[in-house]
Amino acid sequence: MSKTSSARAWLGRAVIEAALIVFAVVLGFVVNEWREDVSDRRAAEAAMGRVVAEIETNIAQLEAVVDYHEGVVERIDERLAEIAAAGEPVRGVAFDEFGELMPRGVNAPGLSSFAWQHAQQHGRLDVLPYAVVAGTARVYGMQASGVEATWRQIVELLFAGPQIMREQDLEASLRFTQIGFGELASQERFLIQQYRQLLEELREAGLD
């Protein structure tokens, strides 16, 4: 065999071996990326599974209090009718009225957002469809800026200062309280509806 033929044979083997090495490296990257994608998808699905469970619990919490809050509105309405029937302004201590009007107190909705917050921080949610993540964030935003914020405002306004223990025009005070509870109950009903719709979307996406 001539030196030229030997050199060509060596060069051919070298090219093949180099190609195999490159292929193995590329294949390794592809397999590793696939494994990471599968791991991220599983992490996202597990995180959203916990979010689904949290939403179901939040719905149950809302259903447990919304009837009561609507009942507070009705009882205040009945009390206002009594005041109107008196034919003249009725003065009294607003706090003394609460025992009859709010037998269970303000009754916090008791909503949770821990699973959603944890999912955002550790759930690899970037592998999920944008619409799914954005829709979930939107409804949790309604929870924070709607029901939870309104409930806190009611508590602060009712119990923030000594004026609640002072004699005052009961009609004005009760109407203001009624507006707050009416708004809270409306937001609770709306949030229940939004949460149920979100659950359907998450289950359609296979995230239950």
Side-chain angles (χ1 to χ4, degrees):
M1 180 181 292
S2 65
K3 291 183 179 180
T4 302
S5 298
S6 177
R8 287 177 179 174
W10 177 86
L11 182 59
R13 287 196 300 273
V15 170
I16 292 173
E17 290 175 359
L20 289 174
I21 291 171
V22 171
F23 175 76
V25 171
V26 171
L27 181 61
F29 280 125
V30 170
V31 170
N32 186 60
E33 185 175 351
W34 174 79
R35 286 176 178 170
E36 289 181 355
D37 288 344
V38 170
S39 177
D40 289 350
R41 177 71 188 188
R42 287 175 178 171
E45 290 176 349
M48 292 305 293
R50 291 188 289 271
V51 169
V52 166
E54 181 174 71
I55 290 172
E56 291 172 338
T57 299
N58 284 346
I59 290 175
Q61 291 291 106
L62 288 168
E63 290 177 335
V65 298
V66 65
D67 287 340
Y68 169 74
H69 290 151
E70 289 173 342
V72 171
V73 174
E74 293 175 1
R75 284 189 288 274
I76 293 176
D77 204 45
E78 293 170 358
R79 181 66 176 117
L80 288 171
E82 293 175 358
I83 293 173
E88 58 184 17
V90 176
R91 296 184 63 80
V93 178
F95 185 80
D96 293 341
E97 300 283 327
F98 293 164
E100 291 292 330
L101 302 176
M102 294 175 274
R104 286 161 48 187
V106 180
N107 209 341
L111 304 179
S112 172
S113 60
F114 177 79
W116 171 238
Q117 292 173 358
H118 188 272
Q120 291 176 289
Q121 296 171 3
H122 308 288
R124 304 287 195 271
L125 300 186
D126 55 318
V127 303
L128 299 178
Y130 173 80
V132 169
V133 179
T136 306
R138 179 182 61 84
V139 177
Y140 270 97
M142 291 180 185
Q143 173 180 313
S145 63
V147 171
E148 292 178 332
T150 300
W151 179 82
R152 285 194 301 269
Q153 288 172 357
I154 290 174
V155 172
E156 290 171 359
L157 290 172
L158 289 182
F159 306 107
Q163 63 271 13
I164 194 173
M165 303 299 294
R166 296 172 183 164
E167 186 176 291
Q168 56 188 297
D169 182 355
L170 282 180
E171 181 179 5
S173 178
L174 292 179
R175 285 197 182 280
F176 193 71
T177 303
Q178 185 184 42
I179 291 171
F181 274 96
E183 179 66 16
L184 177 61
S186 295
Q187 290 176 346
E188 288 169 339
R189 289 289 181 195
F190 183 71
L191 186 56
I192 289 171
Q193 176 187 355
Q194 293 297 305
Y195 264 141
R196 285 176 176 161
Q197 182 177 336
L198 177 59
L199 281 179
E200 292 180 6
E201 295 172 356
L202 293 176
R203 285 167 178 156
E204 289 176 359
L207 298 172
D208 56 350

